[in-house]
Amino acid sequence: MSTTDYPNRSAGAGHKPAVLAPPRSGPLAKREARLAWGLLTPTLLSVAIVIILPLLAIFWISAKPIGLSDLRPTTPNVYERMRGKATTVGDKVTIEYRLTNSSREKPIANVTMSDAWPKGLEPVSLDERCTLAAGRLACDLGDWEPGHRERLRIEAVAQEAFVKNGVNIRDTEPVMQGEASSDLFNLTFTWDNFRAVFDSGEFLEVLWVTLFYTVVGTIGALVVGMLAALMLNKSFTGQGVLRGLFLFPYVAPVIAVAFTWVTLLDPFSGSFNALLVQMGLIDTPINFFGQRPLALFTVTAFEIWRYFPLSFLFILARMQSIDHDIYEAADMDGASPFQKFYYLSLPQLMGILSVLFLLRFIWTFNKFDDIFLMTGGNAGTRTLTVNVYEQAFAVSNIGAGAAVAVVIFGCLLAFSFFFFRFISREEGL
């Protein structure tokens, strides 16, 4: 019987193991790479358009000292009208142009106006800045200061063509042109918006309110959702109906449920206050949305009530996927319900609880509509998102509003880094 000698590959044989070089990219691999990038291009463009570009715009605006009115470009405006009536040949009329600078803060350079001159009107005198040639009026109006206003009048005599044809001077619009700088698109940046945000005496209070509302609302929604899941994890009559009712706060329109809470808790006509007074628990109605710190507690309770169904759904689904054999073994060992939950259920739920905490924290931190509908940010319920709205639209300082939005982004970025840095890898995150 023949034998075949194989090279000795043991460590003591004195031979180095052969190192296989990675295969080089061939034509097929390059074609697959191009195809993969081609398929990913629409997704990358969509992400850039939907997420990255608005984010860059917010960073850009936050470094600009601009208000809401500055988003509108500075332009020269004109309003044209004819004073007098031309019913017979030889009647005198006045063509009047009302010229204005749309901005009270920015000048406009090299302003020009061009307009079609009505046929059949003979100008008596022209402004020294204007010329009339080939049926077209052209005026070089020079530089305008901020808030510039003037009236340009040209007297004319009506001829037969004008009287007979009944020309309307507004059939053609004057064309205005000029050069004006834009604070939004220039390369001048400032930190004034951030100084105004951080130097404000109320910033720390707003930040504390936001953190309280977010942390308590998030943890409360998780705890109530877990309690609801534990209660409905058992089979009983009416279980399906009760599960559907538990979803009502989450699926109902936010404006409807917010208005319901405001109506029920109203200190003058609310049924909840009337019930407490009739039961003798209170002497005078309580203003739940109008006094500190009760207003903050009330909107936080609303946050917990409205969003616990999301946690309830995910936790219940995870509970139903746990093997029941471990609970049967625990029953045989004499474990109490609390021990079964703490040592068996809770470790199995940590993954979904971590994901829910991350999502609910981010969503609650960015929440605006709930607080704005119930209190408008008054009575100590002003969060950072409400501050963005007030700075950008109520005060018309869109630069400061964008600066607050950047602060929100930084807070969420720091929280996400902390969360993924210290969360257990065993949870699958």
Side-chain angles (χ1 to χ4, degrees):
M1 185 173 85
S2 63
T3 60
T4 304
D5 294 333
Y6 291 94
N8 189 356
R9 297 182 180 179
S10 61
H15 297 282
K16 294 183 179 180
V19 178
L20 298 178
R24 296 183 179 180
S25 299
L28 181 59
K30 294 181 179 179
R31 185 178 302 175
E32 290 177 349
R34 289 194 297 267
L35 177 61
W37 280 109
L39 295 175
L40 288 175
T41 299
T43 302
L44 296 177
L45 291 178
S46 301
V47 172
I49 294 174
V50 175
I51 298 178
I52 299 179
L53 292 182
L55 187 62
L56 293 178
I58 292 175
F59 276 94
W60 181 276
I61 296 175
S62 67
K64 297 290 182 178
I66 60 175
L68 192 60
S69 60
D70 295 326
L71 296 181
R72 182 176 57 188
T74 302
T75 57
N77 297 329
V78 59
Y79 174 76
E80 179 185 14
R81 71 170 184 171
M82 185 178 69
R83 304 183 65 178
K85 294 183 179 180
T87 57
T88 59
V89 177
D91 290 344
K92 291 185 178 181
V93 295
T94 301
I95 305 298
E96 182 180 84
Y97 297 93
R98 295 183 180 180
L99 307 171
T100 58
N101 183 349
S102 63
S103 175
R104 294 184 177 273
E105 300 176 354
K106 300 176 184 177
I108 305 178
N110 302 325
V111 181
T112 60
M113 182 185 71
S114 177
D115 189 22
W117 186 255
K119 186 178 181 181
L121 276 184
E122 185 68 25
V124 177
S125 61
L126 285 178
D127 189 282
E128 60 182 6
R129 298 171 294 178
C130 300
T131 58
L132 181 61
R136 194 148 193 97
L137 179 69
C139 298
D140 186 359
L141 303 176
D143 299 337
W144 286 3
E145 296 295 328
H148 175 83
R149 292 177 178 271
E150 70 169 303
R151 295 187 181 186
L152 178 63
R153 296 184 177 93
I154 300 176
E155 295 183 357
V157 178
Q159 303 296 326
E160 182 178 359
F162 184 83
V163 176
K164 184 180 297 184
N165 296 330
V167 178
N168 187 356
I169 63 171
R170 294 185 180 177
D171 289 341
T172 58
E173 293 289 337
V175 178
M176 301 293 298
Q177 293 182 347
E179 301 174 1
S181 61
S182 175
D183 291 337
L184 181 61
F185 298 104
N186 59 28
L187 298 179
T188 302
F189 302 98
T190 180
W191 293 101
D192 292 343
N193 294 324
F194 292 95
R195 293 192 188 99
V197 170
F198 291 108
D199 291 344
S200 176
E202 61 183 6
F203 175 75
L204 293 179
E205 179 184 355
V206 172
L207 181 61
W208 182 88
V209 169
T210 304
L211 292 176
F212 178 88
Y213 175 74
T214 302
V215 174
V216 177
T218 300
I219 296 177
L222 292 180
V223 172
V224 176
M226 181 179 295
L227 293 176
L230 289 172
M231 183 175 63
L232 295 180
N233 195 30
K234 303 295 183 180
S235 298
F236 57 89
T237 304
Q239 180 192 47
V241 177
L242 196 58
R243 286 180 179 178
L245 291 176
F246 273 27
L247 297 179
F248 172 78
Y250 189 71
V251 300
V254 60
I255 190 171
V257 293
F259 181 75
T260 301
W261 273 60
V262 172
T263 303
L264 290 175
L265 300 180
D266 187 83
F268 303 104
S269 59
S271 57
F272 186 73
N273 271 298
L275 181 63
L276 294 179
V277 171
Q278 291 180 2
M279 294 176 61
L281 298 178
I282 58 175
D283 296 329
T284 57
I286 301 174
N287 191 0
F288 287 95
F289 293 109
Q291 62 185 30
R292 300 170 179 251
L294 186 58
L296 179 59
F297 298 154
T298 305
V299 296
T300 305
F302 176 83
E303 173 74 14
I304 295 172
W305 172 81
R306 174 161 169 76
Y307 295 103
F308 87 88
L310 180 67
S311 304
F312 157 71
L313 281 178
F314 281 86
I315 295 174
L316 180 62
R318 183 66 184 92
M319 281 183 175
Q320 292 181 342
S321 65
I322 300 176
D323 190 2
H324 289 276
D325 292 341
I326 59 176
Y327 294 106
E328 294 178 359
D331 290 333
M332 295 179 63
D333 292 337
S336 64
F338 176 78
Q339 289 175 329
K340 288 190 294 183
F341 169 76
Y342 187 80
Y343 293 105
L344 298 180
S345 300
L346 193 58
Q348 300 286 336
L349 297 174
M350 287 304 298
I352 192 63
L353 289 176
S354 301
V355 174
L356 287 172
F357 181 81
L358 174 65
L359 296 178
R360 284 299 332 148
F361 188 96
I362 295 175
W363 293 341
T364 307
F365 201 92
N366 287 317
K367 184 59 64 176
F368 166 78
D369 48 359
D370 295 350
I371 292 180
F372 188 78
L373 289 172
M374 289 188 292
T375 65
N378 299 316
T381 61
R382 187 180 182 186
T383 59
L384 287 174
T385 52
V386 177
N387 196 15
V388 171
Y389 171 82
E390 292 182 352
Q391 292 287 347
F393 299 102
V395 187
S396 297
N397 190 350
I398 192 171
V404 179
V406 171
V407 172
I408 294 176
F409 173 77
C411 293
L412 291 179
L413 189 65
F415 165 75
S416 301
F417 174 80
F418 177 83
F419 184 87
F420 287 109
R421 175 67 176 81
F422 295 100
I423 195 66
S424 175
R425 296 181 179 269
E426 297 178 358
E427 309 304 335
L429 297 178

